[in-house]
Amino acid sequence: MGEHDQDQDDVAEPARPPLSAGQAREMTAGLREAMDDVRRSVAVLAARVLDAHAARVWEPLGRPSWEAYCDAEFGISRAQAYRLLDVARALAAIHGAVAAGTETSRTRDTDPATAAALDYGLSQRALIAVSGRTDDVAQLITRRLVTLAHSGLQALDEPTVRAVVRQAVRDIRTAPPPPPADPPADPAIAAARRLVDDLAANSHAIGELMLEVAPAYLSDTDAADVLALLCEQIGEPLEHGLAARRYALSGDRRALHGTVL
């Protein structure tokens, strides 16, 4: 155990009477409400980011670009500025899919086309992870909602829509992008492509592991500091681990160029 952890253990917590089950439930409800507030705030922030970027808000303020505007106005890095856009675009695609796949009147009295229409319970990391595959996510959500609506077996209330959205994001996020539809005629090329697909799938799985240790909000530089020991322990070059992490984030195989591919 590290020195910092030992220091934390040595700090004396103020004595408190034990909680009753009712008090524990009340405290848990308060925590859940606070977490829901954070997620709703992310949705509102994402919508405003998208609006500001679409309006090219930096130009009237004399800034040369979106990243320069974010740096000057909010003190955030280029990577953070574009991660905000990734989150905003992913949420916009999801809202559009929900609007297309369900009747808005059946998801309480909210409009899924608005910024914070429905709290899907999605983390920023999950939204960033699927930001490069928003079309796939949107199509899957719409298809599943339409199927449910036509079946008549389940009301498209908020919990149902939320569950469909979360499962669709999870399914797209954990599956690497599909290989090209038409296999090459040359057997040797087909075999090589299968090998490349296998390498990409394994790299995607490694990237998900890297994201467990170095979450998506960390820059490559910060992630490298966190992942150096892990990569050494599993026998993976750090640059390969970082590339796999970028692939898991973006779904774009070009992130692996120069490493395993």
Side-chain angles (χ1 to χ4, degrees):
M1 185 179 295
E3 185 176 317
H4 175 74
D5 295 330
Q6 291 177 337
D7 291 342
Q8 292 293 319
D9 291 341
D10 291 340
V11 174
E13 297 288 344
R16 296 185 57 175
L19 294 176
S20 66
Q23 289 171 322
R25 278 192 291 270
E26 183 179 355
M27 186 175 290
T28 301
L31 283 171
R32 184 174 292 111
E33 182 179 355
M35 291 177 185
D36 289 344
D37 287 344
V38 169
R39 283 194 290 262
R40 280 189 288 269
S41 296
V42 168
V44 172
L45 173 62
R48 291 181 180 174
V49 163
L50 207 58
D51 286 345
H53 189 268
R56 301 181 70 85
V57 68
W58 59 90
E59 291 181 348
L61 298 177
R63 306 297 178 193
S65 64
W66 168 253
E67 60 196 71
Y69 163 76
C70 287
D71 179 41
E73 297 294 331
F74 312 115
I76 63 177
S77 68
R78 178 183 186 278
Q80 289 173 312
Y82 284 101
R83 277 197 289 269
L84 281 175
L85 275 178
D86 287 341
V87 169
R89 287 166 177 160
L91 271 176
I94 290 170
H95 291 321
V98 170
T102 185
E103 300 172 22
T104 58
S105 61
R106 298 181 70 179
T107 55
R108 293 194 312 184
D109 58 352
T110 54
D111 177 5
T114 61
L118 191 60
D119 174 18
Y120 304 115
L122 298 169
S123 67
Q124 289 189 55
R125 173 183 163 189
L127 291 167
I128 291 170
V130 299
S131 62
R133 304 177 68 186
T134 52
D135 287 346
D136 293 339
V137 172
Q139 290 171 13
L140 186 57
I141 290 170
T142 300
R143 185 167 66 248
R144 289 178 177 178
L145 288 174
V146 167
T147 299
L148 276 177
H150 288 171
S151 74
L153 298 176
Q154 192 170 2
L156 293 183
D157 54 9
E158 180 177 325
T160 301
V161 173
R162 187 174 189 259
V164 168
V165 169
R166 286 171 61 86
Q167 187 59 52
V169 168
R170 186 179 300 114
D171 290 345
I172 295 297
R173 182 182 174 190
T174 56
D182 298 326
D186 188 327
I189 295 177
R193 178 174 288 180
R194 286 193 298 271
L195 177 60
V196 169
D197 290 341
D198 289 342
L199 284 172
N202 290 333
S203 295
H204 192 277
I206 291 172
E208 284 290 323
L209 171 64
M210 298 296 156
L211 283 170
E212 291 292 334
V213 179
Y217 61 80
L218 293 179
S219 67
D220 259 16
T221 301
D222 292 337
D225 293 338
V226 176
L227 295 174
L229 179 59
L230 172 62
C231 287
E232 181 181 344
Q233 290 176 334
I234 65 174
E236 184 77 9
L238 178 58
E239 63 181 34
H240 289 193
L242 290 171
R245 178 177 177 270
R246 288 192 293 271
Y247 177 42
L249 273 171
S250 67
D252 189 339
R253 285 194 186 182
R254 289 175 294 182
L256 300 174
H257 287 181
T259 57
V260 296
L261 294 180

